[in-house]
Amino acid sequence: MSSCNLSINEILSNQIKKFWEQEEVTQNSIRSREENECETHFQNSFSRKTDGRFSMKLPFKENIHTLADSRNMALNRFLGVEKRFTRDSQLKITTRNL
């Protein structure tokens, strides 16, 4: 004796259809100037090191030299943390154990 069962779930079927439509890769996608620059940056700076790890330069939207004053801000914050450690030895010990 043989039996055959068939069940159709329209909701599930539509959800799967929408998923695959959304995930479909189109060959004719038009990329923005920024996306093209990002792709070029990746192709020019991507490499694999001798230990097997991948390496890539960080992309910047603007010229890196516009960050000129950030070094002084970072140094001042570092010195502020050092002062806090000097004043509060328990904080220094707690932070060291993290």
Side-chain angles (χ1 to χ4, degrees):
M1 175 154 98
S2 298
S3 68
C4 180
N5 295 321
L6 175 65
S7 175
I8 298 175
N9 187 334
E10 283 294 320
I11 295 172
L12 181 59
S13 179
N14 287 336
Q15 287 176 339
I16 291 173
K17 181 181 175 185
K18 286 180 185 179
F19 170 79
W20 285 115
E21 286 172 356
Q22 199 171 30
E23 292 296 314
E24 185 177 351
V25 177
T26 59
Q27 297 297 327
N28 300 348
S29 64
I30 299 172
R31 293 189 293 197
S32 68
R33 181 186 59 82
E34 189 175 63
E35 289 172 322
N36 286 331
E37 288 174 2
C38 185
E39 178 72 22
T40 302
H41 173 78
F42 176 80
Q43 290 174 350
N44 292 336
S45 67
F46 174 80
S47 65
R48 190 165 193 169
K49 296 184 171 208
T50 56
D51 61 359
R53 295 185 303 164
F54 295 100
S55 174
M56 188 179 107
K57 293 180 182 177
L58 290 175
F60 290 99
K61 284 189 173 186
E62 297 176 16
N63 188 344
I64 192 169
H65 300 293
T66 60
L67 303 174
D69 200 32
S70 65
R71 183 181 189 283
N72 290 332
M73 286 182 2
L75 182 60
N76 287 335
R77 288 182 182 168
F78 172 75
L79 294 174
V81 170
E82 286 290 308
K83 284 181 187 177
R84 285 182 60 200
F85 285 158
T86 303
R87 287 190 306 250
D88 187 353
S89 60
Q90 185 61 38
L91 177 64
K92 185 174 184 177
I93 292 169
T94 305
T95 306
R96 185 179 291 161
N97 292 333
L98 293 177

